Amino acid sequence: MTFHWQWLFASLIGFSVTVASAPLSDKPLSMNASAHTAVNAFKPIPDSTISHHQQGYFTDIANKRALVCYVATLNDCLQLLPMHLRQQTVFSRAAIRHAIGYKSAMVLSARDNAIAGVIVLNPSKDIAEQSGSIGLTTYQLPLKQQAQLTLWHELGHLYNIDLQQTLLPSSLSEYQHEWLADIYLLWRIAHHYPQLDLAWQQFHRRNLALINDSANLSHWSAPQLQIALAHYNIEQLQQFVRYEEFIAAVYPLMPLWSERDMAEFSSLIQRTFGAGVVQPLPGYMFWRQPKLVEVLSPTLEALMGKDNAQLWLQQQFRAVK
């Protein structure tokens, strides 16, 4: 959900995720770090319990900083903001607690020369896996390092907002904000881990969430992640020392779907996976089927096995031979 007053951007994760690991470090990695620092920072961050009494901390967003807070200590954390931001209603404890509701995380963007915004984490809404039902079978995807991925996704929101009107368009839809945040997440994974397993986890997570509920279409970054992962291996991703370099290269590769395009994908998803669907209609929305099949196939194969996934797809979609 995007609120247009005070440049407030509240990120709806769409489905709960684990938020249970420690911050990146006491001195977060700068986005302008050297190639040696960024590329060789392969230090997987374990899922470890943090104290919910932690006051909060700042981390870098390009040439600005973001304040990371936890709901349990929100009032103390917000005191770290400059006075002129604390006086704004959108950064009040009451407004933030109302806005976060049952979400596991949210981000508030600030119009300020030094502070990019505030990220609020809500560990009480954590889950450790994403599930989705296909026919009579429910599949679960364990979420590893999800606390770290959630934080990076939220940082991505602020980073991309900061790049609007320069490397990114001045106006972005909620859907564009969400997949761009996951593109930033992909870049961070490549600079902190020696493989892209967690990027594929995010890809499968977004697909499975969509299968579970078509309302998660607003967070369906799997098409964009698939394009990026097809174009760049981890060594190539590591060559983009600064995120600005990466987004300048990858953004032109991405599809720009209209509201009608998204509505058609939503209708096809509901007809394929929605509750109460008892009979396949292989010709339904046939012009959207090839892309949906292309994006869902890796996840279905991971869940069902290659042969079973292919058989199921052939039964559901005319586009699959």
Side-chain angles (χ1 to χ4, degrees):
M1 181 185 301
T2 304
F3 298 96
H4 296 286
W5 62 91
Q6 302 290 342
W7 278 86
L8 168 62
F9 181 80
S11 169
L12 309 185
I13 297 302
F15 41 94
S16 297
V17 295
T18 302
V19 183
S21 72
L24 288 174
S25 67
D26 292 335
K27 296 180 179 179
L29 176 68
S30 169
M31 296 302 95
N32 293 316
S34 68
H36 177 80
T37 301
V39 173
N40 292 286
F42 295 135
K43 297 180 180 179
I45 302 161
D47 282 320
S48 58
T49 302
I50 64 169
S51 170
H52 292 177
H53 298 291
Q54 182 171 339
Q55 185 180 35
Y57 62 96
F58 283 97
T59 189
D60 293 340
I61 295 288
N63 60 347
K64 296 183 181 182
R65 308 204 80 194
L67 178 62
V68 180
C69 295
Y70 299 89
V71 169
T73 55
L74 185 58
N75 192 56
D76 289 340
C77 184
L78 292 174
Q79 298 306 308
L80 299 175
L81 287 173
M83 178 63 72
H84 68 278
L85 291 180
R86 296 205 308 268
Q87 293 175 340
Q88 297 179 18
T89 302
V90 294
F91 293 111
S92 70
R93 178 179 179 273
I96 292 174
R97 290 189 69 91
H98 175 76
I100 197 167
Y102 293 99
K103 298 183 287 294
S104 62
M106 64 180 290
V107 58
L108 310 173
S109 176
R111 180 175 288 180
D112 188 80
N113 291 331
I115 304 298
V118 177
I119 293 169
V120 183
L121 304 177
N122 190 7
S124 67
K125 303 305 176 185
D126 300 347
I127 64 171
E129 64 183 23
Q130 175 62 45
S131 63
S133 296
I134 303 174
L136 300 177
T137 303
T138 299
Y139 298 91
Q140 289 86 29
L141 175 69
L143 301 177
K144 300 177 182 179
Q145 301 294 333
Q146 196 56 56
Q148 192 62 62
L149 303 190
T150 296
L151 176 59
W152 284 342
H153 174 91
E154 301 303 333
L155 289 172
H157 278 302
L158 292 179
Y159 212 121
N160 289 315
I161 290 172
D162 193 58
L163 294 179
Q164 287 184 249
Q165 297 185 340
T166 55
L167 296 177
L168 293 172
S170 58
S171 178
L172 294 170
S173 68
E174 178 187 353
Y175 179 62
Q176 289 174 307
H177 275 291
E178 292 300 333
W179 67 253
L180 281 165
D182 272 358
I183 290 295
Y184 175 87
L185 169 62
L186 168 62
W187 179 81
R188 287 300 292 262
I189 289 171
H191 285 275
H192 283 271
Y193 292 90
Q195 66 280 319
L196 295 175
D197 293 356
L198 291 175
W200 283 107
Q201 174 181 292
Q202 189 76 352
F203 172 87
H204 295 317
R205 172 193 169 200
R206 296 306 194 193
N207 273 337
L208 195 53
L210 184 66
I211 289 170
N212 186 60
D213 187 349
S214 62
N216 288 319
L217 185 68
S218 64
H219 287 64
W220 188 46
S221 62
Q224 292 78 15
L225 287 173
Q226 186 177 47
I227 291 171
L229 288 165
H231 275 77
Y232 304 107
N233 59 32
I234 190 164
E235 291 80 12
Q236 291 168 327
L237 289 170
Q238 291 164 4
Q239 292 175 9
F240 294 104
V241 177
R242 300 175 68 245
Y243 176 65
E244 289 89 340
E245 299 168 354
F246 179 52
I247 197 61
V250 77
Y251 184 79
L253 304 176
M254 300 303 168
L256 298 177
W257 287 322
S258 67
E259 291 185 8
R260 177 176 178 176
D261 296 332
M262 299 303 292
E264 290 178 350
F265 277 120
S266 178
S267 182
L268 180 56
I269 288 291
Q270 291 180 56
R271 184 61 189 79
T272 305
F273 299 103
V277 174
V278 296
Q279 181 179 355
L281 289 177
Y284 187 74
M285 292 280 179
F286 64 88
W287 59 95
R288 293 294 175 198
Q289 290 183 15
K291 174 54 67 175
L292 184 64
V293 170
E294 177 186 358
V295 178
L296 291 184
S297 288
T299 299
L300 295 177
E301 291 177 7
L303 297 172
M304 307 167 69
K306 187 172 183 178
D307 292 342
N308 288 335
Q310 183 68 16
L311 179 61
W312 186 87
L313 288 168
Q314 288 173 346
Q315 294 171 344
Q316 298 294 323
F317 301 114
R318 191 174 76 184
V320 180
K321 303 300 182 183

